Amino acid sequence: MVQMYLAGVSVRRVEDITEALWGQRVSPSTVSELNQKIYATIEAWRQRPIEGEYAYVYLDGIWLKRSWGGEVRNIAILVAIGVRSDGYREILGVAEGMKRRPGGLADSSAT
């Protein structure tokens, strides 16, 4: 249910889907409570201290379309990935990045 909501599926549509799958509707308040819990968990992860040593760290990003309030916008999702000396990769952080500007990167320093 949380993935549906985070993907931009409306609360009403979540109710319809749960009824079709399980034969029982999930109330808007239940969807809201679940979202509050997952957002709290995500924020705690984002605020955690980063510990340990990494052989290297790299940053990557991807442009995604986000639907919010009936409006669709392009957003950049930036990801920091640490690689330990044993080769194990760990996601260190994720954040929404800069907004796309008409001039591209050349225009990104303008404020």
Side-chain angles (χ1 to χ4, degrees), residues 30 81 89 98:
T30 299
I81 302 165
R89 289 180 222 143
M98 68 180 183

Side-chain angles (χ1 to χ4, degrees), residues 32-105:
S32 179
E33 288 172 24
L34 288 172
N35 287 327
Q36 288 174 3
K37 287 179 184 177
I38 194 67
Y39 282 128
T41 301
I42 290 168
E43 192 57 30
W45 178 82
R46 290 183 70 215
Q47 298 300 322
R48 81 199 185 292
I50 297 174
E51 299 173 348
E53 294 184 19
Y54 299 94
Y56 58 94
V57 174
Y58 61 95
L59 304 174
D60 199 0
I62 185 170
W63 286 100
L64 299 174
K65 292 193 180 296
R66 178 182 74 180
S67 175
W68 193 263
E71 184 179 356
V72 177
R73 289 189 174 185
N74 290 327
I75 60 163
I77 303 298
L78 306 175
V79 182
I81 302 165
V83 181
R84 300 188 321 206
S85 60
D86 63 1
Y88 181 81
R89 289 180 222 143
E90 181 179 342
I91 296 176
L92 304 176
V94 178
E96 184 176 329
M98 68 180 183
K99 306 290 187 258
R100 184 171 284 180
R101 296 196 170 129
L105 288 177

